[in-house]
Amino acid sequence: MMIRSVVGLLALLLLVPQTAAGSSPGIPLKTYLSLTDVAWISTSPDGLRIAYTSEESGSWQLWVVDTDGSHRRQLTRGVDSVHGAWWIPGDAHTILYTMSHGGSDVDQLYTIRDDRSGSVALLPHEKNVTHLFGAFSPDGSKIAFSSNRRNEQAFDVYVLDRKTATARRVYTSTQSANATAWSPDARRLLVQVVHNPYNADLYAVDLRSGRPTLLTPHTGEANFDSSQFTPDMRAVVCVSDLHNEFHAIQRIDLATRTTRPIVDIPHDIDQVLVSPDGRLMTYIVNNDGYGNVIVADSSGRAIDQPSMPPYIAENLIYAKHGTLLLYAASGPTFPKVIWSYDLQSHKTTQILKPNFHGIPPASLSEPQIIHVRSFDGRMIPAWYFKPKKNSGKPAVFLDIHGGPELQDRAWFYPFAQYVVSRGYALLDPNIRGSEGYGRTYLHAANGRKRENAVKDIGALHDWLVASGGADAGNIFIDGASYGGYIVLASLYHYPYAFAGGIDFYGVADWVSFLQNTGEVRSARESIYGSLAHDRTFLESISPLKHVSEIKRPVFIVAGKNDTIVPVAQSERIAAALRRNGVPVQLRVFPNEGHGISNLKDLMAAYQWMMAFVQQYARK
């Protein structure tokens, strides 16, 4: 295995041109990657300050800003990325956050105050155990979280008493359990048990007796997300696809455990949030990748809508006793920032302003939404970023998301904007198996239908050539995680269709993946197939079994600390390709895991990627 240091590779890259043929040098990659988003917004108990995470400093760190946009300041400054931030109820200055070391995804819980420096680890003796935040008790004195301390392959729910610093297990699971909400009287805890990404259950756990009550008995598969008690504690409101093609807002009556839809529309609903007094609910509609905010009354009847551009809204929060609505929003040409909506004056305010670092906003590319017909007539949605100025047919990145159940949406994508500025195009599809388009589409590549998703790639390639104006000899396919598997599979299914493949920590051997992934195996087997019943099939679709059919160069990136797709997957496929005479480059980041969180590492990975494309693009 050949691994060069980041410093060494960057030195070599100074010699490699980073522009497409005929394009100008333009604005450097680092500037585009400096166009950063925010995430995980949370408000102080008095509603005067907002905690959020941002990668503005070079990695995801914790920041605080006043709700009028003033007094913005950075609280954490470590090398490792902060993965979440939640202001503790009843505590004017203390914020809970999670962080893992070296990209290991083994999250730890910490607290920090916004009026002094220094963080406190809540469970300092469990550094090798993953802790996932769930919910606060109404007064903030207790924290519900999930942990695999008892069993590495299962997440139980615990309650941590902040005063005594002791944690007790309140729900024991054989799978993955998450605390989602406390009841207003602090006597019950909502627990979501995830059987697989498509199927879950909700339990109400009595914290005095320890008795869990199943709220969602059902047959078949159904998800129950965004769950919360109503203020009168008579019901639970959630987002679910129970007996439904799309995710609707549903109400579960706690006395009868019956479920009925409140808002049922032909689009997925991402999130619902009930106001503190129960008179309103706000939700986000996923409409072809955009996310619109709707304010409704308690019956679900829409009564208001914040004025905003065609963006995607996320992370709804009520502040100031339910009179102010906070959310994050971004668009393809606009980084994610924090917005507010005054429910009394109906005024929309942009709290944070993105720093474009000298990049003219008008130069950014607004993607075209396209729908490509696949081999079986199914329409595959995609975002197509094209250069504003290009002479001739552009080279194209066919960019595949992971999951498989994730969805690429109307988010800001700095790398897409960078490659477009260099004269390339980028097609960002949601192949079958992606969420956001209904239950049928979500399950269309499960189990033995897995390679139908690869056939979608063939249809997208053909569209790029026939209708997308692409150079047939200059289409590169790239993807991460499950998307990395799609890259490798596409390279052997269509051995001469692509100029090269770019695989970020993709699955190369399904059997080994299911045996060694850090995720709960049963959840993954329900999607891909089980080792007990589908081993032969899983072996047959593993790229390692088809190395001799791969003819084009491959570039591979991996994180040494990856617990989801262990680095051995990347090392084995690279070695096999090399033995078969296929040009292959493998780059392993020593301090990253399943994903690249540090800006310097991300910039190095993209520069390597661009150098690879420059090397193998047809001139």
Side-chain angles (χ1 to χ4, degrees):
M1 179 177 62
M2 298 177 61
I3 306 175
R4 297 174 186 251
S5 69
V6 173
V7 174
L9 249 293
L10 290 179
L12 287 175
L13 284 167
L14 293 176
L15 305 176
V16 180
Q18 295 187 27
T19 60
S23 65
S24 60
I27 297 169
L29 171 63
K30 184 176 181 180
T31 305
Y32 281 90
L33 296 184
S34 298
L35 301 180
T36 55
D37 288 340
V38 304
W40 297 104
I41 65 173
S42 178
T43 183
S44 60
D46 58 13
L48 298 179
R49 297 180 308 287
I50 301 169
Y52 65 97
T53 59
S54 170
E55 53 185 342
E56 182 178 339
S57 65
S59 64
W60 286 98
Q61 299 298 319
L62 178 58
W63 296 67
V64 171
V65 66
D66 290 356
T67 50
D68 64 1
S70 64
H71 301 101
R72 189 171 65 94
R73 55 203 183 278
Q74 184 177 347
L75 297 187
T76 61
R77 299 179 181 277
V79 175
D80 295 309
S81 292
V82 173
H83 294 159
W86 303 270
W87 215 299
I88 299 178
D91 192 322
H93 295 287
T94 306
I95 302 163
L96 176 76
Y97 70 92
T98 57
M99 182 179 67
S100 65
H101 295 286
S104 65
D105 293 318
V106 181
D107 277 0
Q108 304 293 305
L109 302 174
Y110 298 86
T111 58
I112 191 171
R113 291 176 62 93
D114 72 333
D115 58 352
R116 68 183 69 159
S117 60
S119 297
V120 176
L122 296 186
L123 298 161
H125 303 299
E126 298 186 4
K127 295 181 179 179
N128 297 320
V129 174
T130 301
H131 306 101
L132 305 175
F133 171 70
F136 294 115
S137 62
D139 64 358
S141 64
K142 296 178 176 63
I143 300 169
F145 67 95
S146 300
S147 173
N148 62 347
R149 62 160 72 163
R150 181 187 60 85
N151 178 353
E152 185 180 1
Q153 284 293 313
F155 281 85
D156 304 323
V157 176
Y158 295 79
V159 169
L160 173 69
D161 188 305
R162 292 181 61 208
K163 184 176 182 180
T164 64
T166 58
R168 66 184 179 97
R169 189 166 75 246
V170 299
Y171 185 86
T172 303
S173 176
T174 59
Q175 296 169 305
S176 181
N178 312 294
T180 66
W182 293 71
S183 62
D185 63 3
R187 294 184 178 183
R188 287 175 292 181
L189 186 67
L190 270 183
V191 171
Q192 179 197 48
V193 178
V194 178
H195 308 301
N196 64 57
Y198 314 130
N199 192 30
D201 271 307
L202 289 179
Y203 289 81
V205 177
D206 187 308
L207 294 174
R208 292 182 176 180
S209 68
R211 183 173 65 90
T213 299
L214 176 62
L215 302 180
T216 55
H218 65 280
T219 57
E221 292 185 322
N223 261 325
F224 301 90
D225 297 315
S226 194
S227 57
Q228 62 221 270
F229 288 96
T230 56
D232 61 10
M233 294 181 292
R234 295 180 179 178
V236 166
V237 172
C238 64
V239 172
S240 175
D241 60 349
L242 178 67
H243 308 312
N244 212 41
E245 178 69 13
F246 295 94
H247 285 81
I249 300 176
Q250 311 233 21
R251 176 186 172 95
I252 304 170
D253 185 278
L254 290 175
T256 64
R257 291 191 297 165
T258 57
T259 302
R260 65 177 176 86
I262 301 174
V263 178
D264 187 359
I265 58 177
H267 298 288
D268 274 348
I269 293 175
D270 290 337
Q271 181 190 0
V272 61
L273 188 66
V274 178
S275 65
D277 61 7
R279 297 174 59 189
L280 297 175
M281 66 173 66
T282 302
Y283 59 91
I284 299 172
V285 178
N286 181 345
N287 188 351
D288 214 1
Y290 290 97
N292 303 316
V293 178
I294 305 294
V295 180
D297 61 21
S298 59
S299 71
R301 180 176 62 91
I303 58 175
D304 202 359
Q305 183 172 357
S307 175
M308 59 182 288
Y311 291 167
I312 172 175
E314 303 170 80
N315 203 180
L316 297 170
I317 296 174
Y318 283 109
K320 297 185 178 179
H321 308 290
T323 62
L324 188 70
L325 183 67
L326 299 173
Y327 52 91
S330 61
T333 62
F334 196 89
K336 189 189 305 176
V337 293
I338 302 171
W339 297 67
S340 69
Y341 181 68
D342 191 305
L343 291 159
Q344 296 174 332
S345 68
H346 308 286
K347 180 182 178 182
T348 304
T349 303
Q350 183 182 327
I351 294 175
L352 290 179
K353 310 290 184 183
N355 183 350
F356 284 94
H357 299 278
I359 297 176
S363 70
L364 299 174
S365 174
E366 187 75 37
Q368 173 190 1
I369 300 179
I370 65 163
H371 296 84
V372 175
R373 190 176 302 279
S374 192
F375 72 98
D376 57 356
R378 192 179 302 278
M379 302 304 291
I380 309 302
W383 306 87
Y384 192 32
F385 295 81
K386 292 187 68 175
K388 292 191 173 184
K389 295 180 180 180
N390 187 73
S391 56
K393 296 183 176 182
V396 181
F397 292 86
L398 180 49
D399 187 76
I400 314 301
H401 69 66
E405 69 279 357
L406 301 182
Q407 179 192 14
D408 278 338
R409 302 187 60 179
W411 293 307
F412 183 71
Y413 191 0
F415 181 68
Q417 297 296 344
Y418 171 74
V419 299
V420 165
S421 77
R422 285 330 200 231
Y424 298 96
L426 185 144
L427 185 64
D428 190 9
N430 286 303
I431 58 177
R432 70 186 66 205
S434 303
E435 63 187 7
Y437 306 97
R439 178 192 290 266
T440 303
Y441 195 82
L442 180 66
H443 292 273
N446 281 7
R448 305 211 173 192
K449 297 180 287 185
R450 180 60 49 203
E451 291 190 320
N452 285 347
V454 183
K455 294 179 183 178
D456 292 342
I457 300 299
L460 291 162
H461 174 277
D462 292 347
W463 180 89
L464 280 169
V465 176
S467 305
D471 182 343
N474 273 344
I475 300 175
F476 292 82
I477 182 168
D478 68 279
S481 192
Y482 172 76
Y485 156 72
I486 293 292
V487 167
L488 296 172
S490 299
L491 290 176
Y492 75 76
H493 274 277
Y494 309 105
Y496 299 103
F498 298 98
I502 301 159
D503 161 29
F504 279 64
Y505 37 89
V507 176
D509 180 349
W510 284 110
V511 172
S512 175
F513 166 74
L514 291 171
Q515 289 173 332
N516 298 294
T517 179
E519 295 185 317
V520 178
R521 182 192 296 177
S522 60
R524 290 290 123 189
E525 285 190 328
S526 64
I527 301 170
Y528 300 122
S530 72
L531 293 176
H533 303 290
D534 303 295
R535 190 183 188 103
T536 301
F537 169 73
L538 291 167
E539 289 176 345
S540 73
I541 66 167
S542 294
L544 265 173
K545 296 290 184 179
H546 298 273
V547 170
S548 62
E549 299 161 59
I550 296 177
K551 307 300 182 182
R552 296 306 194 196
V554 184
F555 173 67
I556 303 172
V557 174
K560 184 178 180 180
N561 301 323
D562 196 334
T563 59
I564 307 301
V565 181
V567 66
Q569 292 264 332
S570 298
E571 293 170 339
R572 290 174 63 199
I573 191 72
L577 288 167
R578 194 172 291 119
R579 285 194 299 270
N580 278 272
V582 176
V584 60
Q585 301 173 34
L586 172 65
R587 312 297 181 200
V588 177
F589 286 100
N591 295 308
E592 298 285 2
H594 196 66
I596 301 176
S597 56
N598 184 277
L599 179 59
K600 289 183 180 179
D601 290 346
L602 185 62
M603 186 170 72
Y606 281 149
Q607 287 179 310
W608 290 336
M609 182 174 168
M610 295 301 292
F612 172 83
V613 169
Q614 285 286 326
Q615 181 178 358
Y616 292 106
R618 185 170 64 185
K619 302 299 188 290

